[in-house]
Amino acid sequence: MTPDPTVSPPVAATRPHVATWHGETLSDPWAWLRDPGYPEVTDADVLGHLEAENAYFDANMAPVAALRDTILDELKGRVQQDDASVPVKNGGHEYWWRFEPGDQYRTWLRRALPDGADAVLLSEPLLAAGKDYFRLAGTAISPNGRLLAYAFDDNGAERFRLVVRDLATGAETIVTDKSVGVPVWTADSAALAWMEVNDNWRRIRVRLHRLGDTEGDATLYEETEDKGFGVSVGQSQDRRWLIIATSDHSSSEIRLVPTADPLAPPLLVARRRPGITYDVDVRGETLFIRTNDTHPNFRIVTADIASPGDWHELIAPSDRDYIRGHTAFASYLAISARHDGLDQVRLRFDDGRETAVAFPESSYSAGIGTNLEPDAPLLRLGYASMVTPQTVYDYDVAAGTLITRKVQQVPSGYDASQYATERLMITARDGTRVPVSIVYKKGYPRDGSGKLHLYGYGAYGIAIPPSFSANRLSLLDRGLAYAIAHIRGGDDMGYQWYLDGKLDKRTNAFTDFVDLGRGLAALGWSREGQISASGGSAGGELMGVVLNTDPGLWRAVVADVPFVDVLNTMLDDTLPLTPGEWPEWGNPIEDRAAFELIRSYSPYDNVAAKAYPPLLITGGLNDPRVTYWEPAKWAARLRATKTDDNLLLLKINMGAGHGGKSGRWNSLHDVAEAYAFVLTQVT
């Protein structure tokens, strides 16, 4: 696919805009694309330019509409129309969701045990009717089982309306339009704790809403010490404690409040310390604390609730075992971990015995699923590999065996024997061995003639697991191999792996991705210049950097909601996320070295007069995480600067946010477009 010669690409006007930092002048001639009234976007020039970009996108995608529609039909054909989750027991009921055939959204249900009738708790299709966008944050059932709290967003701005429904009468009460996350009920079912966001979309308070109280919600905790910290509220597994956390990307501080007495003075577990993070669960009078205070891969300590700062080591840290999470069930401690980068679930009993759940493949993704009760004699787990569909297991703790509860169905057909997966280690330029997971259809050539797609993220300590994607089959069946780059910046190989890809080591993530591309080409998986690539959000930043540094390595690139205006965003502390992002990227306002480093790689600031490969960029008008003007400005600068005539497309979802379109069918349309773009460039 080449640019439609009958349609001219949009040209964004340039308007002088300069700023001086650390004695350096920054010129940003497309700064005007940020509507001064944001988060409201009403400026006619801004909207006109975005609409022109979308029209240009539509015109150039029109010739591949048949391919897109074919792929979309394939994607839909792999989705089970009447899909449902495995029920989860909670008190006297079990709870689950299901999709009715044709529905975009879930219906939530429960039944009384042992043999009650199915009862609808919440219909997302009804809530979403007539809306272009809908997203349910989550649901919470009151301890007495009579009330349902739920929160939803209907424009993608991630400011959720929190509602309480009386399940007997259907009567509803709107609590707030400024919540995030899932609320937590108090023990008496008379109040719920919820997280409040301010006008800058910062999680600043935990509030307590008492049903029927008209005097306003009490503040359980407000973050006033550090504007980069955000608050959250959760619940201990035994339901006795509200867990109120405040944290940024490198430090945390936790307070406990009894669910039976939510206005009691909070119990501080440990004061925040730079670079030290911890989380807590509770069993009886014992705190179980996961912390990186002595080792980057974390250890688990215990403390008496009467002396929360007196820590005693229960599980020592290890260079090879990365402790990722823990849950204090009544009869054992469940631990999520990775051993040499491979997921593990371990159980530790009070007598010191420890057992690891044995999974059936040598490379896979696994973790603890939803377990709602204080104990779990049958521990709900999730499992998949790049060739094995998503599987729900119950692990029988007493017997030490896995019970299969559900295997993802692919209605149009899937034969795992036709596909293969490998995990390779490739040496990066600094000598570090970096893993990459690959899936392909058997018979894929290894002589350099193959078409390879490389996906990456590499930030915030978020690992990209080697798991199954039914969507991906549309690429594999057309001859592509699909690789996941487990680069530094994620925590794929441990917490130090994350630390080695952030702040002053951020460029390791970028060079790892390039070195994996070159390494795979050297091994015959493809050749340089024939590799397509994609990433979103911070992975979109990754795409922007590697396009600037090594444009000739890539055949085509998709950058979804890309964080590409890094320097300007980190210099603007009025933006929703900026202060909380400084521990990840650095604070260029106060630190000249951070300013210079970010300026050296920020994709928008490093666009140069050279040839770039075909590029598809997406954004969301209501996105509070990567604001719409970042991809818009980047596209404008690329159009004005690059020397090639390769296709450059920008699509802004005008009624969506960071995740693109909502609904299980609508979201597939975006996937089909991206796949059609890639396929027309590499074939």
Side-chain angles (χ1 to χ4, degrees), residues 52 72 81 152 162 177 222 418 517:
L72 182 58
Q81 288 270 350
F152 68 90
L162 176 58
D177 285 323
E222 180 173 0
Q418 295 187 38

Side-chain angles (χ1 to χ4, degrees), residues 355-380:
T355 184
V357 178
F359 294 108
E361 295 175 275
S362 59
S363 179
Y364 57 85
S365 171
I368 298 172
T370 301
N371 299 271
L372 298 178
E373 298 194 313
D375 204 11
L378 295 175
L379 179 65
R380 181 65 48 84

Side-chain angles (χ1 to χ4, degrees), residues 455-474:
Y455 174 84
Y457 186 74
Y460 300 113
I462 297 173
I464 305 300
S467 58
F468 183 77
S469 167
N471 293 344
R472 199 183 291 148
L473 297 174
S474 288

